[in-house]
């Protein structure tokens, strides 16, 4: 199995006629993702790579039974795009756009949560269940169908580690970039819960970085709730405090959210922490052999 996306995903692309929407639609179709419709206001009646385009989400959902959306619209339009998708009844919304205004995302997140809608991102490469479905912009060739879940705050780190795992024969069930903006739809802990409930995910890798407390929170969750082995990797050990390193979510302030605190939290929860990506496959293998508990 996998989490969130699989062969039953019927995808809608919001902003399909833009440059990135058009380009990434082509790549997702080539991977085998079932893209049933696209939406760009004022462009209804057109098509992109043979995918019909509509003026609004509700019409596209009604005509094609879409159950998920991926958003390629400029930052000021993301809140409206998410709310339109929620109102149309979609249950998974993947927001590729970065630098979404914080208050816009806070409002959209609150509405989505109230309606039971899963939001991945913003500022995410998306997610992929190898061999089944890709909803995002990640290079599909580096992933292989397997039984190890992967969740990362960084898109490029996700690529590096997935590629390293694949070369080592450590294949994946679902790989998710949770998003790098300050406010994102789901937490690392919430993704861990989904992997814990997936019968075909045997182990999970958490890729973290400086800033915020999500990794520390995840470590607390792992202590009491995870029966499956978890391996972690944290970047930013040499980053100076009080400086943003990379995207908007990566900032350490007054000692909070440092790499050291995250490593310590995972180790105290019994989670092995790799110092280099190449160590991850071996740590997974050892964890599966011994069991976390």
């Amino acid at each position: 199995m996998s989490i969130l996306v699989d062969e039953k995903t019927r995808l809608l692309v919001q902003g399909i006629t833009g440059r990135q929407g058009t380009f990434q639609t082509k790549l997702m179709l080539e991977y085998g993702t079932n893209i049933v419709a696209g939406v760009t206001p004022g462009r209804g009646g057109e098509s992109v790579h043979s995918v019909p385009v509509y003026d609004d989400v509700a019409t596209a959902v009604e005509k094609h039974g879409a159950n998920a959306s991926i958003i390629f619209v400029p930052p000021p339009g993301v809140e409206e795009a998410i709310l339109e998708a929620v109102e149309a009844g979609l249950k998974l919304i993947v927001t590729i756009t970065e630098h979404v205004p914080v208050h816009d995302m806070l409002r959209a997140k609150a509405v989505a949560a109230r309606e039971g809608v899963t939001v991945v991102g913003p500022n995410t490469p998306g997610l992929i269940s190898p061999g089944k479905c890709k909803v995002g912009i990640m290079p599909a060739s580096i992933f292989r169908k397997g039984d190890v879940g992967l969740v990362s705050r960084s898109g490029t780190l996700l690529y590096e580690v997935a590629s390293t795992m694949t070369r080592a024969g450590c294949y994946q069930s679902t790989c998710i970039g949770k998003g790098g903006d300050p406010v994102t739809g789901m937490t690392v802990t919430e993704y861990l819960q989904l992997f814990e409930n997936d019968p075909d995910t045997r182990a999970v890798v958490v890729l973290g970085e400086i800033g915020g407390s999500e990794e520390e929170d995840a470590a607390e969750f792992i202590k009491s709730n995870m029966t499956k082995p978890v391996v972690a990797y944290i970047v930013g050990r040499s980053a100076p405090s009080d400086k943003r390193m990379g995207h908007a979510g990566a900032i350490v302030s007054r000692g909070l959210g440092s790499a050291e605190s995250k490593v310590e939290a995972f180790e105290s929860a019994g989670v092995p922490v790799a110092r280099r990506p190449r160590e991850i496959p071996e740590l997974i293998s050892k964890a599966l052999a011994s069991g976390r508990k």
Side-chain angles (χ1 to χ4, degrees), residues 10 12 34 36-38 52-54 58-67:
R10 296 176 62 82
L12 170 75
N34 185 17
V36 297
V53 179
Y54 296 88
T59 301
V61 170
E62 179 183 359
K63 289 183 176 293
H64 298 279
N67 55 21

Side-chain angles (χ1 to χ4, degrees), residues 263-287:
V263 170
E264 182 180 350
F266 278 124
E267 289 180 341
S268 69
V271 175
V273 181
R275 293 194 64 88
R276 297 173 180 82
R278 66 174 180 267
E279 298 173 0
I280 293 172
E282 183 178 356
L283 289 176
I284 295 170
S285 179
K286 289 181 179 179

Side-chain angles (χ1 to χ4, degrees), residues 173-192:
S173 55
T174 300
C175 300
I176 302 166
K178 72 168 295 291
D181 271 13
V183 179
T184 57
M186 290 183 67
T187 65
V188 173
T189 297
E190 289 172 316
Y191 288 116
L192 285 173

